Amino acid sequence: MTLIRFLAALCVSALIATPLAAQDRRVPSSPAELRLSYAPIVHRVQPAVVNVYAAKVVQNHNPFLDDPIFRRFFGIPGGPQEQMQRSLGSGVMVDPSGLVVTNVHVIEGADQVKVSLSDKREFEAEIVLKDSRSDLAVLRLKDSHEKFPTLDFANSDELMVGDVVLAIGNPFGVGQTVTHGIVSALARTQVGITDYQFFIQTDAAINPGNSGGALVDMSGHLVGINTAIYSRSGGSQGIGFAIPSNMVRVVVASAKNGGKAVKRPWLGARLQAVTPDIADSLGLKTPSGALVASIVPNSPAARAGLKSSDLITAIDGQPVEDPNAFDYRFATRPLGGTAQIDVVRAGRPVKLTVALETAPDSDRNEITLSGRSPFSGATIANISPAVADELHLDAATEGVVVTSIAEDSAAANVGFQKGDIIMAVNNRKIARTSDLDKAAREQARLWRITLVRGGQQINVTLGG
């Protein structure tokens, strides 16, 4: 009896020591299990995955058409010729009323968007919301009077490396296709696709046309939106990236609430990565965490007591490996509440409570410049805390920042980029958007421009 009790106690202790998530996962134990099929999951999920077709009119300018003799000889009318440019991708139905989530790069600049369902029906769609920071867009089907099948969101933070996933989309425009694989890695932060560098990596085959499609788990829940691949050939090489469903959920919620932009929490602190040298100086075993470089006065970070040189190691109990990981986890927190941040300060652990509120944006004054100047086609804004947060600028920066550039505009042709800070024009200091608007309206034979790009000051002289 003593031996039996000992063995029973040993089994109980083993169960307690084994993580619950690991108990739910096991390898196939028989040949019969290897013959199991994903068909029931696909049958349930497939109707909610759609094909997205986008089209826009572009001006196809041929320099030969500028020659009147050439036009007369070939009988071609003068002027730029219009051409329809088409792109394709995938999407996921996330609301029975006809809301579809896809990638911004699938529908960017589109004049017309169509959505094709799995039963071959097509609907015109309108763009409800575009969030370039996450590369997510929400569409709404037009003239639809029915309830559509949808996918439920999974908690992407519960994913584990090795979990089996299915990717569903429209690769190469061949039609809806299902591939399977595993989660190869989590929290990929060095991909360089969007502002929020935090991706699920999978070896499920993802190809051009899969963008915006679904990555689902074995419960048939949406764990991510497929958005990019690493490839040297243009096709799948077993490394694909998906935006986690917890980020998708935030964007969809903003669209459902009628927002034209996604509102996210603002910390009010500039963070930097921990290098091996910094880790040595701080006495850390590994170069992990997000180091606080500066604090914006009267920001949530300042009011919470966060200080420069604090090392952020976790948020709400979830580990923070680098600034990108913190940005993602903080951005997916719901507004109006609080978040608990774990920091290491002078070698001691400290817990801080940060309010989840949006950045002030009352002084943005965003305008698009026109007229005969190098700035024509550039959209500019004052550097408010919200703008600084969106473009990853130091909140103390002065000047006017470029927030977007129109295609084929004068600003695009001379090389201006999103994030450029215009400091001076023709030796005149630019402090407000009104200053640059006034300077751009003046006639000048030369434009002497001082700007800051990537932290470096650049002096440019352009002909008028």
Side-chain angles (χ1 to χ4, degrees), residues 4-348:
I4 293 173
R5 289 194 188 97
F6 173 76
L7 292 174
L10 188 63
C11 291
V12 171
S13 64
L15 286 172
I16 293 173
T18 304
L20 182 61
Q23 291 182 39
D24 295 338
R25 295 166 170 84
R26 61 185 179 85
V27 296
S29 59
S30 68
E33 289 192 353
L34 290 174
R35 291 193 293 272
L36 295 176
S37 173
Y38 300 124
I41 300 171
V42 174
H43 180 74
R44 186 169 69 253
V45 168
Q46 212 166 21
V49 182
V50 302
N51 300 335
V52 178
Y53 301 92
K56 65 178 178 179
V57 177
V58 296
Q59 300 293 331
N60 187 14
H61 180 73
N62 188 329
F64 287 108
L65 298 182
D66 294 334
D67 187 344
I69 297 177
F70 182 90
R71 293 200 307 270
R72 191 182 312 118
F73 183 80
F74 287 100
I76 301 174
Q81 302 297 304
E82 289 188 348
Q83 182 179 4
M84 187 67 75
Q85 191 176 83
R86 303 181 188 275
S87 63
L88 61 89
S90 306
V92 180
M93 198 78 70
V94 291
D95 188 84
S97 65
L99 282 185
V100 175
V101 65
T102 186
N103 286 133
V104 168
H105 72 259
V106 171
I107 52 90
E108 188 66 78
D111 300 312
Q112 183 184 50
V113 179
K114 285 187 176 182
V115 170
S116 174
L117 307 186
S118 59
D119 60 9
K120 308 303 181 184
R121 288 185 297 161
E122 285 192 353
F123 292 85
E124 295 280 345
E126 61 178 338
I127 300 172
V128 177
L129 184 151
K130 290 196 304 183
D131 183 48
S132 299
R133 301 185 70 185
S134 64
D135 193 26
L136 291 171
V138 180
L139 315 175
R140 178 181 286 113
L141 303 190
K142 295 180 180 179
D143 302 323
S144 59
H145 306 285
E146 62 182 280
K147 289 188 175 181
F148 296 94
T150 64
L151 288 189
D152 293 328
F153 289 106
N155 182 356
S156 52
D157 287 337
E158 293 180 353
L159 273 180
M160 297 178 67
V161 174
D163 281 352
V164 177
V165 287
L166 304 178
I168 307 177
N170 182 20
F172 298 112
V174 299
Q176 197 172 90
T177 302
V178 181
T179 57
H180 91 284
I182 64 169
V183 174
S184 311
L186 295 169
R188 284 297 192 217
T189 60
Q190 303 299 323
V191 181
I193 306 169
T194 67
D195 284 0
Y196 295 105
Q197 298 295 306
F198 198 89
F199 294 92
I200 301 166
Q201 182 180 318
T202 177
D203 68 346
I206 296 174
N207 288 288
N210 271 109
S211 289
L215 190 71
V216 300
D217 61 16
M218 291 298 97
S219 298
H221 292 160
L222 184 71
V223 296
I225 293 294
N226 301 318
T227 192
I229 58 174
Y230 176 83
S231 176
R232 294 177 178 175
S233 63
S236 174
Q237 292 185 320
I239 301 179
F241 301 101
I243 301 168
S245 59
N246 286 356
M247 176 61 77
V248 182
R249 191 197 307 265
V250 171
V251 175
V252 171
S254 293
K256 286 183 177 181
N257 292 332
K260 295 299 182 183
V262 180
K263 294 184 177 180
R264 297 183 172 93
W266 171 57
L267 179 64
R270 187 166 60 87
L271 308 178
Q272 68 180 75
V274 178
T275 64
D277 289 340
I278 292 175
D280 287 341
S281 66
L282 296 176
L284 303 175
K285 294 181 180 179
T286 58
S288 179
L291 191 65
V292 178
S294 62
I295 303 288
V296 178
N298 199 36
S299 65
R303 296 196 300 271
L306 198 65
K307 298 180 179 179
S308 295
S309 300
D310 280 351
L311 180 68
I312 300 176
T313 58
I315 174 172
D316 287 338
Q318 294 178 312
V320 170
E321 295 82 10
D322 56 30
N324 287 326
F326 178 86
D327 287 346
Y328 165 80
R329 297 206 181 280
F330 197 68
T332 54
R333 294 298 182 270
L335 288 167
T338 60
Q340 187 177 78
I341 296 178
D342 293 352
V343 305
V344 175
R345 178 180 296 166
R348 290 186 173 185

Side-chain angles (χ1 to χ4, degrees), residues 376-389:
S376 181
T379 301
I380 58 172
N382 296 326
I383 304 179
S384 67
V387 172
D389 184 53

Side-chain angles (χ1 to χ4, degrees), residues 369 371-378 409-416 440 447 449 462-464:
L369 301 176
R372 297 175 59 86
S373 80
F375 303 102
S376 181
S409 64
N413 292 334
V414 300
F416 283 115
W447 296 87
I449 303 166
L462 301 171

